[in-house]
Amino acid sequence: MSQLEQAIADLLSIDGATGAAIVDLASGMALAHGGNPGFSLEVAAAGNSNVVRAKVNTMRDLGITDQIDDILITLGQQYHLINVLKDENNKGLFLYLTLNRNSANLALARHKLSVVARAVRV
């Protein structure tokens, strides 16, 4: 199993996880993905790269020099978590995780997502 496949497996082992992807921010392409959230992870990867770029651009326009840790999107039935990777070797990548809102523990999922994020090596 490749390192990226292992990261996806680790993300999908989080309680309530339904889908996960490692995404290239510049292209919006998923380098790896897995699970079955009920929609195309490839389309979600591309769309969420727009979300991250929009936030980065807004922060730049506001003069905010801090870095994004994560972005949470709360839907009626799901949580969507985006964790922007910061390691020099992983710059320009983010992890995308979808969770079933009824079965996930959001605080624990965010913690485990950050642990996986620190371990990802591309």
Side-chain angles (χ1 to χ4, degrees):
M1 180 179 288
S2 77
Q3 203 280 332
L4 295 180
E5 290 170 334
Q6 182 61 54
I8 295 297
D10 291 345
L11 292 171
L12 291 174
S13 74
I14 296 171
D15 288 342
T18 58
I22 300 172
V23 184
D24 176 65
L25 180 58
S27 68
M29 294 185 69
L31 304 178
H33 61 83
N36 186 15
F39 53 82
S40 168
L41 282 166
E42 290 92 350
V43 173
N48 282 303
S49 66
N50 292 332
V51 170
V52 176
R53 280 194 298 270
K55 186 59 185 173
V56 167
N57 290 339
T58 300
M59 289 171 56
R60 183 196 62 233
D61 293 347
L62 295 172
I64 298 172
T65 59
D66 209 350
Q67 294 181 328
I68 298 170
D69 284 333
D70 59 28
I71 297 170
L72 166 64
I73 300 168
T74 305
L75 305 177
Q77 301 293 316
Q78 301 172 336
Y79 294 121
H80 292 218
L81 288 170
I82 298 167
N83 185 294
V84 179
L85 300 181
K86 293 170 190 59
D87 184 270
E88 192 59 40
N89 297 324
N90 298 330
K91 263 202 179 335
L93 301 178
F94 65 90
L95 301 180
Y96 172 60
L97 177 66
T98 61
L99 301 161
N100 178 315
R101 191 168 169 173
N102 294 321
S103 59
N105 176 321
L106 183 57
L108 188 56
R110 286 185 68 216
H111 171 71
K112 289 183 175 182
L113 177 60
S114 70
V115 169
V116 172
R118 287 191 300 271
V120 170
R121 298 289 177 261
V122 177

